[in-house]
Amino acid sequence: MGRDPSLELLPGTLDLLILKALARGAMHGYGIAQHLKTRSEDVLQVGESSLYPALQRLLLNGWVKGEWGASENNRRARYYTLTAAGKKRLSAEREEFERLVGAIQRVLHTA
């Protein structure tokens, strides 16, 4: 029995993961998707239809900013960086997520 390729993230989790990826430095959309795929050992495969609406939401909330530049292969790409407000949001979201995961683990591991 193989892994479900359509594994879905909990609501809000993608925003958290994008913010965490950008804490490493500026990245374009494809780079963010590749980072999440690599770091999750191919479990998280974020498509454009999920990634770009999430990035737009983060831009509108002021948690990231975007600037156009040239990618590694000299193509035009929008690079996203974390803002000060985004760093605060990342910290708050991470704490809340870890609390939620801990609660779920306690329920799963109780008889």
Side-chain angles (χ1 to χ4, degrees):
M1 192 186 280
R3 259 188 291 178
D4 182 0
S6 63
L7 184 67
E8 291 187 25
L9 295 172
L10 291 170
T13 307
L14 180 55
D15 291 3
L16 171 64
L17 295 173
I18 292 170
L19 292 173
K20 176 60 178 163
L22 293 175
R24 302 179 70 236
M27 300 174 93
H28 52 68
Y30 180 77
I32 294 168
Q34 287 303 113
H35 173 76
L36 297 178
K37 181 181 177 190
T38 301
R39 296 296 295 165
S40 71
E41 298 176 355
D42 294 335
V43 173
L44 303 177
Q45 297 187 32
V46 181
E48 290 181 16
S49 62
S50 299
L51 179 65
Y52 289 102
L55 283 166
Q56 187 62 30
R57 191 170 47 251
L58 296 172
L59 281 164
L60 291 172
N61 285 323
W63 299 329
V64 301
K65 64 180 181 176
E67 294 181 5
W68 291 99
S71 68
E72 300 80 22
N73 56 3
N74 219 20
R75 297 179 81 184
R76 190 168 186 246
R78 192 168 192 185
Y79 282 82
Y80 300 90
T81 55
L82 203 54
T83 63
K87 290 176 186 175
K88 287 181 184 176
R89 182 68 178 185
L90 171 59
S91 178
E93 287 291 321
R94 187 175 182 168
E95 285 178 24
E96 188 63 27
F97 183 79
E98 288 174 353
R99 208 179 99 197
L100 174 63
V101 168
I104 292 170
Q105 287 177 334
R106 286 190 295 278
V107 170
L108 290 175
H109 294 120
T110 6

